[in-house]
Amino acid sequence: MTGNDLAETLAAAHGLTKTDARKYVDTVFAAIGDAAAKGNEVSLNGFGKFSTKKTPEREGRNPATGEAMTIKAATKVSFKPAKALKDKVNG
């Protein structure tokens, strides 16, 4: 499912134009992205939780050459599904 598919579903369910629905979908995703960029957790009841995790700098290997290299520290976004979502997916 794509963002356009979500917008079409939202438009059909609430009598919106597809353009307006797409704006709402984009706004929701932008808000989630902004919160993650600030290091805030986003919890959507019944769906799941988006959070960030810092990973330290570490040594790794180039898989093509086997040469040692340094992998930079980074912040990763993770998603943990809620029990309701897990139950829905698993029947």
Side-chain angles (χ1 to χ4, degrees):
M1 179 173 261
T2 66
N4 285 334
D5 295 335
L6 286 172
E8 286 179 18
T9 301
L10 182 64
H14 297 285
L16 302 169
T17 65
K18 288 182 185 177
T19 303
D20 285 343
R22 182 61 203 215
K23 287 178 188 175
Y24 298 146
V25 169
D26 289 344
T27 300
V28 169
F29 287 127
I32 292 170
D34 290 345
K38 293 176 186 173
N40 296 332
E41 187 176 272
V42 177
S43 182
L44 303 171
N45 192 24
F47 186 72
K49 188 185 311 182
F50 294 91
S51 60
T52 57
K53 178 182 177 184
K54 293 188 184 277
T55 58
E57 186 176 275
R58 65 190 193 279
E59 288 295 316
R61 296 235 173 245
N62 180 328
T65 64
E67 180 183 344
M69 58 186 281
T70 301
I71 300 170
K72 294 180 183 179
T75 301
K76 298 187 180 205
V77 177
S78 65
F79 176 75
K80 182 177 179 185
K83 183 179 183 319
L85 180 59
K86 287 182 195 177
D87 291 346
K88 191 173 203 171
V89 169
N90 292 313

